[in-house]
Amino acid sequence: MHLTLAEDLARFPALLQSARDLAVREVSGLADRPVARPGRAPDAERLPAGGVGAEGALARFAERWAPGFSGSAGPRYLGFVTGGATPAALAGDWLTGAYDQNVSGAGDSSATALERETLGWLRELFGLGDEHAGAFVTGATVSNTVGLAVAREWLGERLGVCVSREGTAALGPVDVLSGSPHSSIAKAMSVLGIGRDRLRRVPVLAGNREAVDVGRLAEALDALGGRPAVVVANAGTVNTVDFDDLRAIAALKERHDFWLHVDAAFGGFAALSPAHAHLTDGLDAADSVCVDLHKWLNVPYDAAVQFTRRQDLQVRVFHNASPYLGLPTEDPDFLHLTPENSRRLRALPSWFSLLAYGREGHREIVERNIGLARRLGERIAATPGLRLLAPVRLNVVCFTPAGDATRERVHALAAAVAASGEAFLTPTVYDGTHALRAAFSNWRTSEADTDLVHDALVRALATLEP
Ligand SMILES: *Cc1c(COP(=O)(O)O)cnc(C)c1O
């Protein structure tokens, strides 16, 4: 064994203690550190010939890189839709590395059974029935991609071809219909050989809405003349967290032939709150469902789930048959279900957090975040220099500076907030207007944090050109 490696082996417990000390400093100081650290990356160095050992690497990391890391796990990082990591989830994540299980197959370990138990808990959390089979993936983009891959195989079944063997070309042009799809849907269509241009935008409801007009969707399906299609319904749009009427869309199946995929990346968590659960009514009727876990479940990156009623088709697409891996069985190993083959025990942080806090603990996070979004929305509505662009429906506040909402002004406002170190918000375009979003999905965020975010916004606003 290399000498440095042998020394590290001898010092392994002390080393983990040092890493733990650094992590403890990090998580305890999170609320006081700058939320964003724009433009602070050190120059890249060359690969060292001789190593410095793990303690040396830890010291170099703390000195060179840690100071430039954002406080994205903290309470005032409201960019994109960003979750933190609950204490239990972080503990689960550490242990994932320590045990280093490969959950591709079940032969040698109970780890895959733990993953199945967690999938059962998640199914229950989101109100999905037993017919939905699940699998862990890295994020909602991959979850959407897997869902659409199963949809593509289903289209083949309807048209009498086997896409996983004959290729996407055997389908001819594919129609994917959606009201306000997330950008990852077009990306998935590109990956799957369906083509980004085959995404057909269906008009949304009038009046500040991002939910699809179900009547117009029915018309668009009618116009296909009986050709089977894919409908992507959206349960929580990123700008204003609007929800398609999932029940009404599912009811269209009585007259139209389509696969229903629901992107519930973070909106699926509305199911935890009795006051908002109706927004996810009909989710169980979907053929495939995407939910992110590194957003509103507050587990560390990277984790999401995908569910489908047609695991048989999923296996057709993703099976990895080889003499050494064996053929998929009734209860297929995970390597036959998603793009990954070998992978980490991605369920463990979710398992820890769900067991530690239960449905009620996670419900409290969701409801608190919704209340805080509303609080910020009210403050913004009452701030002369700012204009709310849509009602705060759930956990995102979408707003813009009063007066000229040019791209430059909006981006300058976002940059000024980030430079303050007090908060982090990300720009968007909503209904043709440049805007900012504040998305609440972190378990730590409090009322005081929300007020600090508003104060930072007001100060940043004062730095803008009129
Ligand atoms: C965040 C998000 C995605 C993409 O999720 P990743 O985890 O970043 O891949 C897809 N759809 C919706 C609605 C989202 O909010």
Side-chain angles (χ1 to χ4, degrees):
M1 195 182 282
H2 186 275
L3 185 61
T4 319
L5 190 58
E7 281 167 7
D8 273 0
L9 175 60
R11 290 181 33 78
F12 210 167
L15 239 161
L16 289 183
Q17 196 62 44
S18 303
R20 175 199 163 280
D21 292 346
L22 180 62
V24 166
R25 277 203 300 282
E26 172 58 28
V27 298
S28 335
L30 202 47
D32 309 315
R33 279 164 38 54
V35 179
R37 303 278 202 161
R40 289 192 40 138
D43 293 333
E45 287 180 354
R46 303 196 60 111
L47 171 72
V52 294
E55 286 282 7
L58 200 60
R60 292 283 273 283
F61 167 75
E63 179 202 318
R64 279 187 71 218
W65 290 102
F69 279 19
S70 75
S72 61
R76 294 187 308 282
Y77 189 100
L78 308 183
F80 311 102
V81 180
T82 305
T86 64
L90 182 56
D93 200 65
W94 282 1
L95 294 175
T96 305
Y99 282 92
D100 197 20
Q101 303 286 289
N102 184 352
V103 284
S104 65
D108 60 338
S109 167
S110 63
T112 34
L114 181 146
E115 202 147 289
R116 287 184 210 284
E117 176 171 89
T118 315
L119 288 165
W121 292 353
L122 290 166
R123 194 163 49 209
E124 206 181 316
L125 202 64
F126 304 123
L128 298 174
D130 289 347
E131 272 135 50
H132 277 281
F136 275 85
V137 288
T138 48
T141 299
V142 178
S143 179
N144 280 330
T145 305
V146 172
L148 293 185
V150 184
R152 187 185 60 175
E153 197 68 14
W154 174 84
L155 287 172
E157 186 179 76
R158 304 302 292 159
L159 298 171
V161 297
C162 180
V163 177
S164 56
R165 299 183 53 171
E166 297 169 54
T168 311
L171 286 178
V174 169
D175 294 291
V176 179
L177 282 63
S178 189
S180 303
H182 186 266
S183 54
S184 58
I185 297 298
K187 178 171 174 170
M189 291 169 66
S190 165
V191 170
L192 294 169
I194 294 171
R196 293 176 191 264
D197 289 355
R198 300 304 303 173
L199 180 55
R200 311 240 324 257
R201 300 290 285 253
V202 179
V204 294
L205 294 169
N208 259 349
R209 297 296 302 273
E210 290 186 299
V212 74
D213 181 331
V214 180
R216 299 293 293 271
L217 177 61
E219 284 168 21
L221 287 164
D222 264 335
L224 298 177
R227 241 186 108 71
V230 179
V231 171
V232 175
N234 303 295
T237 55
V238 287
N239 278 342
T240 70
V241 205
D242 211 345
F243 285 72
D244 288 352
D245 184 338
L246 303 179
R247 265 206 198 297
I249 295 173
L252 295 179
K253 283 196 172 194
E254 284 169 23
R255 288 190 40 231
H256 302 279
D257 200 17
F258 62 91
W259 177 273
L260 176 55
H261 174 78
V262 180
D263 181 353
F266 67 98
F269 284 84
L272 276 70
S273 160
H276 300 92
H278 64 276
L279 295 169
T280 61
D281 274 357
L283 188 63
D284 182 53
D287 297 296
S288 52
V289 175
C290 151
V291 189
D292 234 332
L293 302 174
H294 52 220
K295 289 178 181 165
W296 227 349
L297 192 66
N298 280 271
V299 299
Y301 293 107
D302 42 23
V305 268
Q306 64 79 220
F307 292 100
T308 180
R309 294 173 165 273
R310 291 296 307 272
Q311 199 180 58
D312 59 321
L313 297 179
Q314 186 172 6
V315 170
R316 247 170 42 194
V317 178
F318 290 102
H319 77 261
N320 189 4
S322 79
Y324 83 98
L325 294 170
L327 284 168
T329 58
E330 273 281 290
D331 207 0
D333 285 337
F334 289 113
L335 70 92
H336 297 302
L337 296 177
T338 65
E340 295 90 356
N341 192 61
S342 299
R343 67 172 172 78
R344 76 205 308 260
L345 177 52
R346 186 160 285 118
L348 197 56
S350 299
W351 185 92
F352 262 81
S353 203
L354 289 169
L355 186 66
Y357 313 116
R359 174 188 284 277
E360 281 168 24
H362 280 280
R363 165 187 155 182
E364 190 278 331
I365 297 172
V366 166
E367 292 186 329
R368 174 158 40 91
N369 285 158
I370 294 170
L372 296 176
R374 230 173 250 158
R375 182 184 180 93
L376 183 65
E378 281 161 15
R379 300 203 138 208
I380 284 175
T383 304
L386 297 171
R387 183 160 63 93
L388 208 54
L389 285 179
V392 179
R393 295 195 176 93
L394 210 68
N395 61 327
V396 176
V397 188
C398 187
F399 63 97
T400 201
D404 262 359
T406 57
R407 185 179 185 283
E408 290 65 34
R409 282 188 91 220
V410 168
H411 284 244
L413 183 57
V417 171
S420 77
E422 286 289 321
F424 186 73
L425 313 177
T426 42
T428 188
V429 177
Y430 168 61
D431 199 17
T433 304
H434 289 279
L436 283 179
R437 297 166 56 261
F440 290 77
S441 40
N442 189 291
W443 65 282
R444 287 175 179 261
T445 314
S446 66
E447 288 191 349
D449 286 312
T450 307
D451 296 346
L452 285 174
V453 170
H454 182 258
D455 294 348
L457 254 172
V458 170
R459 278 198 304 274
L461 199 57
T463 68
L464 289 196
E465 303 278 328

